[in-house]
Amino acid sequence: MITILPYNKLQFEELLSFCKEQSVDKSEAASNMWNENWREMPETLLNILYNSERFFNGRGKFFVLYDQEKIIGCSGIYISEFSERVALAGTRTWLDKRYRTKQLVKDYFLVAQKKWAVENNIDIVALSFNDYNKNLIKLFEKGQAIGSRTENHL
């Protein structure tokens, strides 16, 4: 059974293990998930969660996705630095390779992040994509829905 939970710092060791496990993925994005020197690398997810307030104290929220009791993914939303009215969603999104074609980002992460944005009176939610995610950019540019969409989807 798939469940989504807000991240809390008590889960750090569990998320650290997940990130390390995911280092077998050789995609370009994986370098932001795990590095032995993550404490000195501010671009890594672990450094952001450990050393910054980006997803905490009302500035944002980070979510962890589980299959049964095993972490299978993570993703966050936070208020942008350029406007209190704008939030950046889908940030630091990662799914275990075995789950990537199951629309879990759409059905879990983006739903939870939209809910957070509404609860926090955010006017605009933006998504950003790295160059290595160009296949996703094309879907959004064409306005193509990925599977069925309901009002709780972003």
Side-chain angles (χ1 to χ4, degrees), residues 5-16 64 66:
L5 295 173
Y7 170 80
N8 68 60
K9 294 195 178 199
L10 297 176
Q11 294 167 296
F12 186 79
E13 292 298 322
E14 185 182 13
L15 193 62
L16 186 144
V64 180
Y66 290 85

Side-chain angles (χ1 to χ4, degrees), residues 51-89:
N51 292 321
S52 83
E53 294 296 314
R54 179 183 293 178
F55 299 110
F56 307 105
N57 298 324
R59 299 290 309 159
K61 196 145 206 159
F62 199 74
F63 296 92
V64 180
L65 198 62
Y66 290 85
D67 185 354
Q68 305 300 328
E69 295 181 18
K70 183 170 177 50
I71 293 178
I72 61 168
C74 55
S75 181
I77 184 171
Y78 65 95
I79 297 172
S80 75
E81 295 176 10
F82 55 85
S83 174
E84 294 288 318
R85 298 175 51 210
V86 177
L88 303 174

Side-chain angles (χ1 to χ4, degrees), residues 27-63:
S27 67
E28 192 173 347
S31 65
N32 289 328
M33 286 298 292
W34 174 255
N35 188 296
E36 291 288 338
N37 298 316
W38 63 265
R39 285 182 178 83
E40 290 82 38
M41 300 178 74
E43 69 276 15
T44 61
L45 172 62
L46 295 172
N47 187 291
I48 291 166
L49 292 174
Y50 193 79
N51 292 321
S52 83
E53 294 296 314
R54 179 183 293 178
F55 299 110
F56 307 105
N57 298 324
R59 299 290 309 159
K61 196 145 206 159
F62 199 74
F63 296 92

Side-chain angles (χ1 to χ4, degrees), residues 125-148:
V125 175
L127 299 173
S128 66
F129 299 93
N130 295 324
D131 286 338
Y132 44 79
N133 286 326
K134 286 185 179 179
N135 58 331
L136 295 175
I137 296 169
K138 290 176 183 173
L139 289 173
F140 280 91
E141 286 176 343
K142 292 178 181 178
Q144 296 176 348
I146 303 172
S148 61

Side-chain angles (χ1 to χ4, degrees), residues 106-137:
K106 176 187 80 124
D107 291 337
Y108 289 91
F109 290 133
L110 295 181
V111 168
Q113 292 168 14
K114 177 183 178 183
K115 184 176 185 275
W116 180 88
V118 169
E119 290 170 351
N120 286 276
N121 300 309
I122 300 298
D123 294 327
I124 299 167
V125 175
L127 299 173
S128 66
F129 299 93
N130 295 324
D131 286 338
Y132 44 79
N133 286 326
K134 286 185 179 179
N135 58 331
L136 295 175
I137 296 169

